Amino acid sequence: MTLADLLSAPPAVVAAGVDVFSDALRAQGATVADVEWRPPAFGDAADLAALALDPRRAAANRTAVERLMAAGSQLVDVRPAREVLDLPDRTLLHSGPPLTWETASGPMRGALLGAVLFEEWAPTVEDAEQLLASGAVTLDPCHHHRTVGPMAGVTSPSMWMWCLSDPVFGGRAYCNLNEGLGKVLRMGAYDDEVLTRLRWMRDVLGPVLREAVRSMAEPLDVKAVLAQMLQMGDEGHNRNRAGSLMTLRELSPAIVAVDAPSSDIARVLAFIGGNEHFYLNLGMPTAKLALDAARGIPGSTMLTVMSRNGTEFGIQTAGTGDRWFTGPAQTPVGLFLGDYGPEDANPDIGDSAIMETYGVGGFAMAAAPAIVRFVGGTVPDALATTERMYQLTLAENPAMAIPIMGFRGSPTGIDVLQVARTGWLPQINTGMAGRVAGTGQVGAGLVQPPQECFEQALRALAEEARTA
């Protein structure tokens, strides 16, 4: 058959995948034959059977999801990390599973160096590197301290933290303040511009926010802001414009009433208003609160953590507590800033995949079709991604409704068993840090966890089921 033969008659299409593709073609008059096909499942058959037949699983997952969706999130304070996390001196927190200086990637090393210089533990970059290489600075994951941090996630004792509380289950979660975009510490940059901004955040921004938050008549309902964001074109991970503006609206009256120089107040308001990702560092601990509420439920196959440190990707589940299952972090595919290209991008990094673990971010891309202009892809891709994620999850969260999908709740509660059965991996949209320390952000894109994480979790959950 020649190309001319193909074009001489209306096309007949065989479609395998989500219905959105078939529906779009039929709307254009094409003949479509749908084929039931999925990627092959993975995992040992005996392990899959052990989980599928575990009599605890249905009730345990129902409990996990119910706790996740019931959890609330209120902004109750802003305080330095050394106070709320009881951080000893010479301790730095970082994103993802545990790592060492030797295994740290370029942007992680850059952020750690910057934090050492910021804390004045060393006078020069060379001295800071020697200090970190000697093991004199303790490195520990944010997740081990009820904390999350975007990208490198490096948190030092002098950094100010959002302090969030769950009024339903009593949990607490924390996150540092967002620096903005571009050349920032969380992307591995540590030059004078970065350090000057961090010092201003320590000396001015943090204290002003503390006084403002403490003076508010009612705590800010951060979960409600997240729910409203999805109605306004945000997805809660790489697009936070509406959420940041709503947060500014809620905090502004209290900020302007703070007893501080008018120049400081003006700069604080300008900084927040010019930072489209200001809300992200509130959304992440909101998700952390919800997922921590679902920890420690024997028999549950639901994820409670997805996180990356730039070298490894790690996950945790409700049924296995604080145990990490890890694999090599993948490099995102997407769009690049300026002259940067794929060779400049570091493998995936950051605790911000807690948003996808909660059911927003890449799982709710249909709520924010404009996000594809930032991370690559098309609007149909965004819709199809959300449709696919429903196949990996246990429930739909009615509080996180997606307008374009008829206000259907976002896909919530990633199920290790469903991931293994379908062979599909969770979708994450993310920023990209430069591979070389000190570079900063080079782009944004899409990425998935390595399959190895889920294979390990599947085996562990199956072993636990057999011995229960």
Side-chain angles (χ1 to χ4, degrees):
M1 178 178 289
T2 66
L3 181 60
D5 294 330
L6 286 173
L7 299 176
S8 63
V13 180
V14 177
V18 294
D19 292 340
V20 65
F21 297 119
S22 302
D23 294 343
L25 289 166
R26 289 192 181 96
Q28 298 175 67
T31 300
V32 182
D34 291 305
V35 177
E36 287 291 333
W37 178 88
R38 290 187 177 189
F42 60 79
D44 181 80
D47 290 342
L48 289 167
L51 286 188
L53 298 175
D54 186 352
R56 305 170 303 162
R57 181 172 59 87
N61 281 339
R62 183 167 56 251
T63 298
V65 168
E66 287 173 351
R67 290 179 67 86
L68 181 160
M69 293 196 293
S73 175
Q74 295 179 338
L75 174 60
V76 295
D77 208 350
V78 185
R79 296 170 62 191
R82 64 165 46 89
E83 295 181 8
V84 292
L85 303 180
D86 194 25
L87 281 187
D89 198 22
R90 302 294 176 94
T91 298
L92 296 176
L93 305 186
H94 62 80
S95 60
L99 54 69
T100 64
W101 174 254
E102 290 71 27
T103 60
S105 64
M108 182 63 76
R109 287 192 172 201
L112 293 170
L113 288 169
V116 168
L117 295 172
F118 168 64
E119 293 291 344
E120 299 182 353
W121 296 339
T124 68
V125 173
E126 293 73 22
D127 291 329
E129 187 166 0
Q130 290 177 11
L131 187 70
L132 287 159
S134 73
V137 177
T138 300
L139 306 181
D140 205 22
C142 291
H143 273 290
H144 292 182
H145 299 263
R146 296 178 293 169
T147 299
V148 279
M151 301 307 289
V154 171
T155 301
S156 69
S158 298
M159 292 180 183
W160 288 76
M161 309 291 288
W162 293 118
C163 305
L164 277 65
S165 176
D166 172 12
V168 179
F169 299 109
R172 288 286 181 121
Y174 309 96
C175 187
N176 56 20
L177 308 180
N178 194 285
E179 307 159 77
L181 294 174
K183 187 171 281 192
V184 289
L185 187 78
R186 72 177 184 276
M187 296 285 184
Y190 56 89
D191 63 12
D192 288 341
E193 175 188 345
V194 174
L195 295 177
T196 298
R197 185 189 305 113
L198 288 174
R199 294 183 188 110
W200 175 80
M201 294 172 70
R202 176 194 63 198
D203 298 338
V204 178
L205 179 64
V208 168
L209 289 175
R210 174 188 59 192
E211 297 308 312
V213 168
R214 290 181 177 181
S215 70
M216 295 175 69
E218 297 288 340
L220 175 64
D221 188 335
V222 187
K223 180 180 177 181
V225 173
L226 179 57
Q228 193 171 354
M229 288 165 58
L230 297 183
Q231 313 293 308
M232 300 171 70
D234 286 349
E235 40 69 67
H237 188 165
N238 261 309
R239 186 177 173 90
N240 293 278
R241 290 183 177 182
S244 296
L245 289 173
M246 282 190 286
T247 302
L248 176 60
R249 181 192 67 187
E250 296 299 320
L251 294 179
S252 289
I255 289 174
V256 298
V258 171
D259 183 13
S262 59
S263 58
D264 286 348
I265 300 298
R267 187 173 176 190
V268 166
L269 293 173
F271 178 80
I272 299 173
N275 183 354
E276 294 181 356
H277 281 300
F278 187 75
Y279 175 83
L280 176 62
N281 293 45
L282 286 162
M284 289 172 58
T286 294
K288 176 68 173 166
L289 283 171
L291 290 154
D292 276 359
R295 282 183 176 275
I297 302 176
S300 175
T301 55
M302 190 187 85
L303 289 196
T304 54
V305 169
M306 290 197 296
S307 187
R308 326 74 109 205
N309 60 29
T311 302
E312 288 188 312
F313 195 115
I315 66 173
Q316 296 179 354
T317 78
T320 52
D322 296 333
R323 183 175 174 184
W324 287 99
F325 307 102
T326 63
Q330 309 298 298
T331 302
V333 176
L335 302 178
F336 292 89
L337 303 174
D339 295 329
Y340 293 119
E343 68 281 359
D344 300 305
N346 195 77
D348 197 21
I349 187 169
D351 289 332
S352 54
I354 195 76
M355 303 309 290
E356 279 80 8
T357 319
Y358 183 57
V360 295
F363 278 49
M365 285 178 65
I371 194 67
V372 299
R373 300 182 65 183
F374 186 56
V375 299
T378 66
V379 171
D381 291 337
L383 298 173
T385 295
T386 297
E387 285 280 6
R388 190 179 302 114
M389 294 304 100
Y390 283 113
Q391 309 306 311
L392 308 184
T393 49
L394 296 164
E396 300 177 14
N397 188 346
M400 302 296 153
I402 301 175
I404 200 171
M405 306 194 78
F407 293 91
R408 188 177 180 184
S410 66
T412 301
I414 302 169
D415 182 11
V416 171
L417 184 58
Q418 283 299 98
V419 171
R421 280 173 166 171
T422 62
W424 291 338
L425 295 166
Q427 184 67 71
I428 299 165
N429 59 44
T430 183
M432 286 187 273
R435 184 183 296 273
V436 177
T439 302
Q441 185 171 9
V442 299
L446 303 172
V447 73
Q448 293 177 323
Q451 185 172 303
E452 293 96 311
C453 298
F454 291 89
E455 292 172 342
Q456 294 169 27
L458 182 71
R459 286 194 295 271
L461 287 164
E463 290 171 5
E464 196 272 337
R466 294 187 185 101
T467 58

